[in-house]
Amino acid sequence: VQLQASGGGLVQAGGSLTLSCAASTDTFTSYSMGWFRQAPGQEREFLARIGRSGNNKWYSDAVKGRFTISRDNAKNTVYLQMNTLKPEDTAVYYCAADSRAGGVYDYWGQGTLVTVSS
């Protein structure tokens, strides 16, 4: 499975951005999907996860209420809508796919940079 993340860019604090992650697979519904980020000098951080059907979602406390994960199984794509962005949200954002629904991600995208200016 290849994952292609896109949608990053420069945005002002308080603004919004939506990331997309397209998966090249015929079995997209076999994967739970997640979003992570990594800021310079910091460890990778879990942000959000969505189950195979899209009905179940989980968020980290850092983004709960501001970010929304969704998926379109017909388009093999998972999204991360980010609202009320803060400078501390600046990071490279990654999508990932979990084939066993156990929280261990088998495949990772290449990352897309989000920069939030103050």
Side-chain angles (χ1 to χ4, degrees), residues 3 21 31-36 44 48-49 78 94-98 104-109:
L3 302 175
C21 174
Y31 299 92
S32 299
M33 301 296 294
W35 283 99
F36 295 76
R44 188 169 57 201
R49 175 180 174 89
V78 62
Y94 298 90
C95 58
D98 170 14
V104 177
Y105 292 86
D106 309 272
Y107 305 98
W108 292 84

Side-chain angles (χ1 to χ4, degrees), residues 1 10 12 27-29 42 49 57 74 78 82-83 86 110:
V1 177
L10 176 63
Q12 289 188 333
T27 58
F28 184 62
T29 54
Q42 297 188 22
R49 175 180 174 89
K57 304 176 183 181
V78 62
M82 306 184 294
N83 298 326
K86 307 173 183 179
Q110 86 290 359

Side-chain angles (χ1 to χ4, degrees), residues 37-75:
R37 69 185 178 190
Q38 188 167 20
Q42 297 188 22
E43 294 187 353
R44 188 169 57 201
E45 174 188 14
F46 165 79
L47 300 177
R49 175 180 174 89
I50 188 167
R52 297 168 180 173
S53 68
N55 291 334
N56 296 315
K57 304 176 183 181
W58 299 263
Y59 298 93
S60 71
D61 289 341
V63 304
K64 192 177 298 182
R66 296 192 301 126
F67 291 9
T68 301
I69 190 171
S70 62
R71 65 191 292 164
D72 185 335
N73 286 339
K75 296 182 178 180

